[in-house]
Amino acid sequence: MEYLLKTYRTFFGMKGELKRIFSPYRICPLGAHVDHQHGLVSGFAFNSGIEFLFSANDNGMVEMCSLSFDGLTTFSVRRAVEEKQNNWGDYLRGAVWALQKDYDLKNGVCGVVSGSMPIGGLSSSAALLCGFVMALGEVNGLNLTKMQLIQYASKAEREYVGLNNGILDQACVVLCEADKLLFLDTETSEYKLLPFGDGKSDGLPFKIGIFFSGVTRKLTGTDYNLRVSECKTAAWIMQAYEDIPLKGMEMTRLRDVDEQLFGKYEQRMPERFAKRARHFYSECDRVRQGVKAWQHGDIEGFGKLIFESCESSIHNYECGSPELIALYEIMRNTDGIYGGRFSGAGFKGACIALVNPEKEEAVRENVSRKYLERFPQYRESFRAFFCEPDNGVRLVDVSSEK
Ligand code: GLA
């Protein structure tokens, strides 16, 4: 925080009433790659994320600098937002672009953002977007609800940045509560925040382990969008076999196709599409089973499903890099890890795990040593962190820090 404040003072002097937002990263233990098909997901936000220190700019200008990325992003919220520039500022432009559809924005934001972890699979983009939509709402008095925060951040990422994703990331960043599991139906946006063991247990029996492979990549440059289209094509194929009238691809999702139809046509459709559908139906089922295990206080059962989910990501969804697959295999053979998988889309840099807190150091040592034996080239960039579930994006008091 001190460094953030110093940077703010360097760029903006004593200008403005300071506000601070903390926007957490998220993990998705079960429910990977199904949100864009309107499936069932689960998630935690955790106590590491993006900090914003900012104030209102009554001349309408956004002037934001980042401690993680180069360059000051400047533009006016009173004019139509320009084209994407393929840098981090696109997320800020996207947030304004999405809000401008419904609001006449007057005030800009000047400030500093800082991320606490290297980028890669923890949804730093949703943390940045949700936090910035909240900041814009604050300085313009918009009183945005949680659902609106999710919707505007999601619209910005889908329609401005260009990733055809679902609402998993934004929902975790906004809705999560410490000590609870978010269970969300991405078709209806209905959700529950579930205490572990139905609230009968004392605290949580795990920490969140995060293992950065050292590889980072932007999702818009991966097969992410291709996989989304493959899922939609699988839905189309089944509907066509069944003589169901087809809708445009944009409006077609696997959730619209009954699982029984998959049983009927699984062998007949090309294997590539069958695999994507197999992942979808089995993953939604794992989320249902996982919720039961969680509510029964069965951390082993919950963890086992997370490992199975990663198997399906590798073999049915066919994502992951050699580095991530190696990390997953090491995690499977590490005592003290209940379950683990690729984080996020599995094209970028991190694996996550639920770790027995008593074995944290042994887990760190084992995973790091075995991974670096296989990939010594990542000695400088590999990282292991241990975090805890946390509340969603929020304003934080700055009065003591001025
Ligand atoms: C990324 C996307 C999410 C979701 C996950 C995979 O994080 O942004 O919408 O699809 O991948 O579960």
Side-chain angles (χ1 to χ4, degrees):
M1 173 65 193
E2 222 175 86
Y3 193 57
L4 216 55
L5 187 58
K6 225 169 136 188
T7 313
Y8 179 93
R9 296 285 180 229
T10 309
F11 275 88
F12 309 109
M14 296 306 286
K15 179 159 116 178
E17 184 201 341
L18 278 184
K19 291 183 189 261
R20 183 176 164 200
I21 285 174
F22 175 72
S23 191
Y25 300 133
R26 67 95 189 87
I27 68 159
C28 167
L30 292 169
H33 332 290
V34 298
D35 59 342
H36 45 74
Q37 300 306 305
H38 282 183
L40 305 175
V41 300
S42 71
F44 300 111
F46 62 89
N47 57 340
S48 174
I50 297 188
E51 300 268 1
F52 295 72
L53 192 66
F54 66 98
S55 61
N57 228 355
D58 58 13
N59 62 8
M61 292 304 287
V62 168
E63 298 173 89
M64 296 292 292
C65 68
S66 156
L67 298 187
S68 323
F69 297 106
D70 285 344
L72 182 71
T73 296
T74 54
F75 61 97
S76 172
V77 301
R78 296 182 189 168
R79 286 197 291 275
V81 171
E82 292 169 9
E83 299 276 293
K84 277 196 302 177
Q85 293 174 17
N86 294 319
N87 56 36
W88 76 282
D90 285 344
Y91 293 98
L92 310 185
R93 282 183 281 276
V96 169
W97 176 88
L99 283 168
Q100 279 177 339
K101 308 259 165 232
D102 296 325
Y103 298 96
D104 205 6
L105 299 178
K106 294 262 177 304
N107 290 327
V109 181
C110 59
V112 189
V113 297
S114 168
S116 50
M117 282 188 176
I119 306 302
L122 301 172
S123 201
S124 43
S125 51
L128 182 60
L129 272 167
C130 294
F132 196 61
V133 170
M134 188 180 226
L136 287 162
E138 267 304 301
V139 300
N140 286 288
L142 305 183
N143 293 321
L144 299 172
T145 62
K146 288 186 173 187
M147 276 302 160
Q148 283 177 306
L149 277 183
I150 295 171
Q151 280 154 5
Y152 286 115
S154 163
K155 191 176 180 66
E157 186 154 29
R158 285 172 54 83
E159 296 176 31
Y160 185 83
V161 179
L163 186 71
N164 295 335
N165 61 353
I167 61 164
L168 165 75
D169 303 343
Q170 297 82 3
C172 290
V173 170
V174 173
L175 300 173
C176 279
E177 288 180 13
D179 294 351
K180 300 206 176 115
L181 177 73
L182 172 70
F183 169 45
L184 167 75
D185 183 334
T186 60
E187 184 174 40
T188 58
S189 295
E190 276 170 32
Y191 69 94
K192 289 184 184 153
L193 287 158
L194 305 168
F196 183 70
D198 265 343
K200 288 181 208 111
S201 84
D202 199 16
L204 293 179
F206 65 88
K207 276 199 177 175
I208 297 172
I210 294 164
F211 305 105
F212 272 105
S213 63
V215 187
T216 55
R217 261 205 282 169
K218 258 180 66 184
L219 278 190
T220 38
T222 66
D223 277 349
Y224 185 93
N225 284 347
L226 179 67
R227 290 286 178 281
V228 174
S229 304
E230 288 168 349
C231 289
K232 287 168 175 277
T233 306
W236 250 356
I237 292 174
M238 290 187 275
Q239 290 171 333
Y241 281 150
E242 194 66 12
D243 268 338
I244 296 173
L246 300 188
K247 295 184 200 148
M249 194 175 236
E250 174 63 22
M251 299 303 294
T252 302
R253 296 182 184 91
L254 280 166
R255 186 69 183 270
D256 307 333
V257 182
D258 199 281
E259 192 172 350
Q260 281 180 350
L261 285 190
F262 179 56
K264 193 164 162 192
Y265 297 120
E266 184 176 1
Q267 302 304 324
R268 201 164 136 194
M269 69 168 109
E271 182 58 8
R272 180 183 191 103
F273 301 110
K275 280 181 176 177
R276 308 304 179 248
R278 203 171 291 138
H279 176 77
F280 176 82
Y281 295 111
S282 66
E283 187 70 1
C284 289
D285 197 44
R286 280 186 287 275
V287 174
R288 288 187 200 97
Q289 289 181 49
V291 163
K292 281 191 199 140
W294 176 265
Q295 289 180 301
H296 287 142
D298 175 10
I299 193 67
E300 264 105 14
F302 189 72
K304 193 164 159 277
L305 289 161
I306 304 176
F307 278 139
E308 285 168 15
S309 163
C310 195
E311 280 292 315
S312 181
S313 290
I314 298 171
H315 301 293
N316 293 324
Y317 206 74
E318 295 182 294
C319 65
S321 58
E323 292 89 347
L324 287 184
I325 294 172
L327 266 176
Y328 161 71
E329 283 161 359
I330 293 166
M331 294 196 306
R332 272 211 98 130
N333 294 306
T334 300
D335 180 42
I337 294 189
Y338 297 117
R341 54 160 296 114
F342 309 151
S343 188
F347 292 107
K348 286 206 283 185
C351 278
I352 57 99
L354 301 195
V355 175
N356 178 344
E358 287 165 17
K359 303 207 170 151
E360 182 179 320
E361 278 320 305
V363 166
R364 181 199 301 276
E365 194 281 322
N366 190 61
V367 175
S368 310
R369 182 171 43 77
K370 294 211 171 118
Y371 180 70
L372 292 172
E373 270 166 22
R374 281 172 75 174
F375 295 98
Q377 64 270 42
Y378 297 121
R379 190 159 291 284
E380 298 305 318
S381 47
F382 173 83
R383 297 269 184 289
F385 300 94
F386 294 88
C387 300
E388 288 173 42
D390 196 1
N391 296 323
V393 61
R394 58 208 182 248
L395 273 166
V396 182
D397 186 22
V398 276
S399 52
S400 56
E401 290 167 279
K402 277 184 197 169

